Amino acid sequence: MVLRFGGKNLLFFKDFDLEFSEGLNVITGETGAGKSILLRGLQALLGKKVELLLGEDTWLEALILVKSVDEELREIGIKEGEHVVSLSSGKRWIYRIDGKMYPQAVVERLFEDSIHFHQQNSHVNLLKKRHQLSLLDRFCDNDRLLNEYKGAYQRMQELLNLIEGFSDRNIDQEIEELDRQLLFFEKYKPNEEEERSLKERFERISKAKQLTSFLEEISETLNDDILARLWRLVISAEKMSTLLPQGLSELLRSIVENSNEVKRMIHKFVEEIQIEDASEIEARLAIYNELRRRFGPDWENIKKNWMKLEQERKELLEKRQQLYLANKELVSIQRICWDLAQRLHERRIERAVEFEREVQKHLKELAMNVDFLVKIGKFDHLTPSGISDVEFVIKLEGGELRSLRDVLSGGELSRMVLAVQLVITGHAGGAFVFDEIDSGIGGITGNVLGEKLKSLSNRAQVIVVTHLPQVARHADRHFFVEKDGTDSMNVRQLSSKERKDELLRMIGGKDVWGDVV
């Protein structure tokens, strides 16, 4: 709802400030006074793309009450309640909501479902099939069923997106490939210590001849004759131990015993070198070389890649399970969606006849001799609103069905909007802005139009530019546009007496209308 609208330097309006009523707000004035410019300025302010030349010093501002906000707007910090919207012009238009700059698309989105503009030659929501379906659903009281369907449809889309995310992947093949790589670790169970030991053993075997020659030289040096002579010296030294330096005999015995241990160690080592198969060690080392090539180059990288492969395999197994459950749930949720969509479709068809009849009644009273129909087709696929292909059409004399855009003028479209909104009793809300809705009508039809606009204003705010006193007489608040003696225009709210004078001017005489309450 538009609570207040003001601005400076809007074409011929240097300064204006309008405080609107919650009910029916009427703007009148002589032809060419610039009434429609005010409404186009309001459209521009609320993010609509309109043809309107704004000067570099043009500034517009409005206080708007917003009763509902979608989730995407909430995420950027815009909530329900009163908002100050401003527009300043220059090289480019700058939009602000509560002092913070926003793109034009955000401003338009915030108000597109709550403030509806209807003008001659303008693209109105009524021409959009999506909006037509929404109007029919409101008439059918489909809120509960539609919300249930939308919840199921959203879940179905989530599942489809999840499944589609794996459409280019073969998870089973990916798991098999990971299994093949992990099998390398499971089969050979490599570890850093074993590799180090294998390298040491292989190095020893590679140098076996050199080692053997060296060890044999040691062994020959410690031959039996030398050791026998040493043993004799040990025995003699022990007998003369009291005369010899202290500990000498013990050192000689140690030399002999250690020499024997050295010979035994050499003998055992030479035997091991001779019996160990170098080819087996080479084969095992080849495995480690392959391990480093594929997962290395060092053990730190090998361990990281090993753990990474195991983690990837674990995640893929979880995703495979998730995908299995998603496909299973998808079958169920699709069945639910089709069932709900069919119920919605049947309900729309059932209530469309009554909707057509009531709209037709209002159109006839508004002097529109057209054959209004709701054409309902059926999609072979699910959409966010079901399977119904709904379009408001006009039936021509030859039976041809044409869209509203192809048949109705701007003024007729505005009256069509009024007729539809009057049918949706108790569901109207927000604000409706009408310009030239009375184009081409007058007399008794003008009285009907005024009464219907008044009826609509009991459920929603209505702002209308009109030339008909039959409409203006129902105003809760009446604004008058006039020239100020120069090229400028003024707009002001009329008092009760001023309203009477303006209505008399509109009707063309002082004695025709009578008292205005």
Side-chain angles (χ1 to χ4, degrees):
M1 183 168 64
V2 185
L3 303 177
R4 198 157 188 161
F5 173 46
K8 296 180 183 296
N9 302 314
L10 175 62
L11 294 180
F12 306 116
F13 294 90
K14 290 184 177 180
D15 189 9
F16 65 94
D17 185 8
L18 307 178
E19 187 173 353
F20 290 114
S21 163
E22 295 182 1
L24 178 59
N25 299 271
V26 167
I27 302 174
T28 64
E30 296 183 0
T31 301
K35 302 180 292 297
S36 297
I37 291 174
L38 291 170
L39 299 190
R40 287 205 295 275
L42 182 59
Q43 275 187 288
L45 174 61
L46 301 186
K48 300 294 183 181
K49 295 180 179 179
V50 295
E51 293 184 6
L52 184 63
L53 296 176
L54 299 182
E56 291 189 1
D57 55 352
T58 300
W59 171 81
L60 300 172
E61 187 174 63
L63 177 63
I64 312 288
L65 174 62
V66 179
K67 294 185 177 181
S68 65
V69 175
D70 65 35
E71 193 59 36
E72 290 189 20
L73 291 173
R74 286 177 181 276
E75 290 177 358
I76 60 174
I78 301 176
K79 300 180 180 179
E80 295 88 348
E82 294 183 3
H83 294 281
V84 176
V85 187
S86 64
L87 168 62
S88 55
S89 62
K91 291 184 178 179
R92 61 185 308 164
W93 293 3
I94 304 297
Y95 294 89
R96 287 182 174 85
I97 300 174
D98 300 327
K100 183 178 178 181
M101 285 192 294
Y102 286 94
Q104 170 267 332
V106 171
V107 177
E108 182 179 23
R109 180 166 184 163
L110 177 58
F111 302 112
E112 66 177 349
D113 290 330
S114 59
I115 301 177
H116 310 280
F117 291 88
H118 306 285
Q119 298 170 275
Q120 286 220 42
N121 304 317
S122 67
H123 182 68
V124 296
N125 278 341
L126 188 64
L127 298 177
K128 301 175 183 177
K129 293 176 69 174
R130 177 180 65 84
H131 186 64
Q132 293 171 0
L133 176 58
S134 174
L135 291 170
L136 179 61
D137 278 332
R138 284 160 60 187
F139 178 78
C140 297
D141 291 323
N142 281 342
D143 286 353
R144 184 193 61 78
L145 188 58
L146 189 58
N147 286 336
E148 188 177 353
Y149 171 79
K150 287 181 176 179
Y153 182 83
Q154 181 179 354
R155 180 55 183 163
M156 182 187 73
Q157 290 301 121
E158 291 172 355
L159 293 170
L160 287 171
N161 291 336
L162 174 64
I163 295 168
E164 186 178 350
F166 294 101
S167 61
D168 297 329
R169 299 175 59 181
N170 188 319
I171 294 180
D172 288 336
Q173 286 185 359
E174 291 182 38
I175 292 175
E176 287 176 7
E177 175 59 29
L178 287 173
D179 283 341
R180 280 194 293 271
Q181 296 187 61
L182 287 169
L183 182 62
F184 185 93
F185 293 95
E186 294 172 6
K187 180 178 180 181
Y188 298 108
K189 296 181 172 55
N191 65 77
E192 192 172 1
E193 291 301 322
E194 183 194 30
E195 184 189 29
R196 186 182 298 111
S197 175
L198 287 169
K199 286 181 177 179
E200 291 173 355
R201 289 164 62 192
F202 185 76
E203 185 177 1
R204 288 200 303 269
I205 294 172
S206 300
K207 298 179 179 179
K209 290 183 179 181
Q210 181 182 349
L211 288 172
T212 302
S213 176
F214 173 70
L215 294 172
E216 285 178 349
E217 184 179 354
I218 296 173
S219 185
E220 288 174 1
T221 302
L222 299 174
N223 59 47
D224 293 339
D225 291 338
I226 295 296
L227 290 177
R229 290 175 62 188
L230 283 173
W231 271 117
R232 287 195 297 271
L233 291 172
V234 168
I235 293 169
S236 297
E238 287 177 347
K239 290 178 179 180
M240 297 184 289
S241 61
T242 57
L243 302 175
L244 296 173
Q246 186 178 1
L248 177 61
S249 61
E250 287 84 356
L251 286 173
L252 286 171
R253 176 175 283 278
S254 175
I255 290 171
V256 175
E257 290 176 349
N258 286 333
S259 296
N260 285 325
E261 180 62 29
V262 167
K263 291 190 69 173
R264 283 194 299 272
M265 185 182 295
I266 290 172
H267 180 72
K268 180 180 179 183
F269 185 77
V270 170
E271 283 185 343
E272 287 178 353
I273 290 176
Q274 291 174 345
I275 64 174
E276 188 163 29
D277 188 352
S279 62
E280 291 183 3
I281 296 176
E282 283 184 303
R284 186 69 177 173
L285 283 173
I287 293 171
Y288 279 96
N289 290 335
E290 177 67 11
L291 178 72
R292 287 179 177 275
R293 186 187 68 79
R294 290 168 59 179
F295 307 107
D298 53 38
W299 269 97
E300 183 178 354
N301 287 320
I302 290 171
K303 291 174 182 176
K304 286 182 179 178
N305 287 321
W306 189 350
M307 293 175 62
K308 182 180 177 182
L309 290 174
E310 289 181 329
Q311 181 63 28
E312 287 179 359
R313 184 179 184 277
K314 179 182 177 183
E315 290 175 357
L316 282 175
L317 288 173
E318 291 175 352
K319 287 178 180 178
R320 183 168 67 180
Q321 178 66 10
Q322 188 180 13
L323 189 59
Y324 167 76
L325 294 175
N327 278 296
K328 186 176 180 180
E329 184 183 354
L330 180 62
V331 173
S332 174
I333 204 71
Q334 283 179 325
R335 185 167 57 249
I336 292 172
C337 283
W338 277 103
D339 178 63
L340 292 171
Q342 182 61 34
R343 287 163 60 188
L344 274 169
H345 185 67
E346 292 171 357
R347 186 172 177 83
R348 288 161 178 163
I349 292 175
E350 178 185 347
R351 297 296 305 279
V353 175
E354 182 182 353
F355 181 74
E356 291 171 346
R357 184 170 60 248
E358 293 191 24
V359 171
Q360 191 73 47
K361 173 178 174 293
H362 287 293
L363 291 175
K364 185 176 181 181
E365 292 171 351
L366 290 168
M368 286 183 62
N369 188 24
V370 294
D371 193 358
F372 171 79
L373 294 174
V374 179
K375 185 176 72 171
I376 303 180
K378 188 175 183 179
F379 294 118
D380 60 0
H381 60 277
L382 296 168
T383 75
S385 53
I387 53 175
S388 304
D389 182 13
V390 172
E391 183 179 12
F392 294 173
V393 297
I394 301 298
K395 185 177 181 180
L396 303 182
E397 288 187 3
E400 181 184 1
L401 301 179
R402 300 288 295 275
S403 68
L404 304 184
R405 183 197 303 274
D406 296 336
V407 178
L408 303 182
S409 67
E412 289 172 329
L413 278 172
S414 294
R415 276 177 269 166
M416 176 69 74
V417 169
L418 178 60
V420 170
Q421 291 298 335
L422 287 168
V423 168
I424 306 174
T425 305
H427 293 278
F432 293 87
V433 183
F434 295 100
D435 187 14
E436 306 290 350
I437 192 174
D438 52 12
S439 176
I441 65 174
I444 295 175
T445 305
N447 286 327
V448 174
L449 176 61
E451 291 169 359
K452 291 188 180 297
L453 285 169
K454 183 62 176 178
S455 176
L456 178 61
S457 73
N458 292 330
R459 305 188 300 279
Q461 183 185 50
V462 176
I463 301 171
V464 57
V465 167
T466 184
H467 298 283
L468 293 179
Q470 297 98 313
V471 173
R473 68 185 293 266
H474 292 284
D476 296 300
R477 196 156 293 174
H478 192 151
F479 300 93
F480 179 64
V481 178
E482 61 183 347
K483 292 183 179 181
D484 65 356
T486 65
D487 291 335
S488 299
M489 299 292 181
N490 289 329
V491 56
R492 58 189 176 85
Q493 182 179 334
L494 298 180
S495 65
S496 296
K497 181 180 183 307
E498 288 172 328
R499 278 195 66 216
K500 179 178 180 180
D501 292 340
E502 170 60 5
L503 291 173
L504 288 173
R505 182 199 67 77
M506 294 175 73
I507 201 171
K510 294 185 178 180
D511 301 322
V512 178
W513 190 262
D515 293 335
V516 177
V517 178

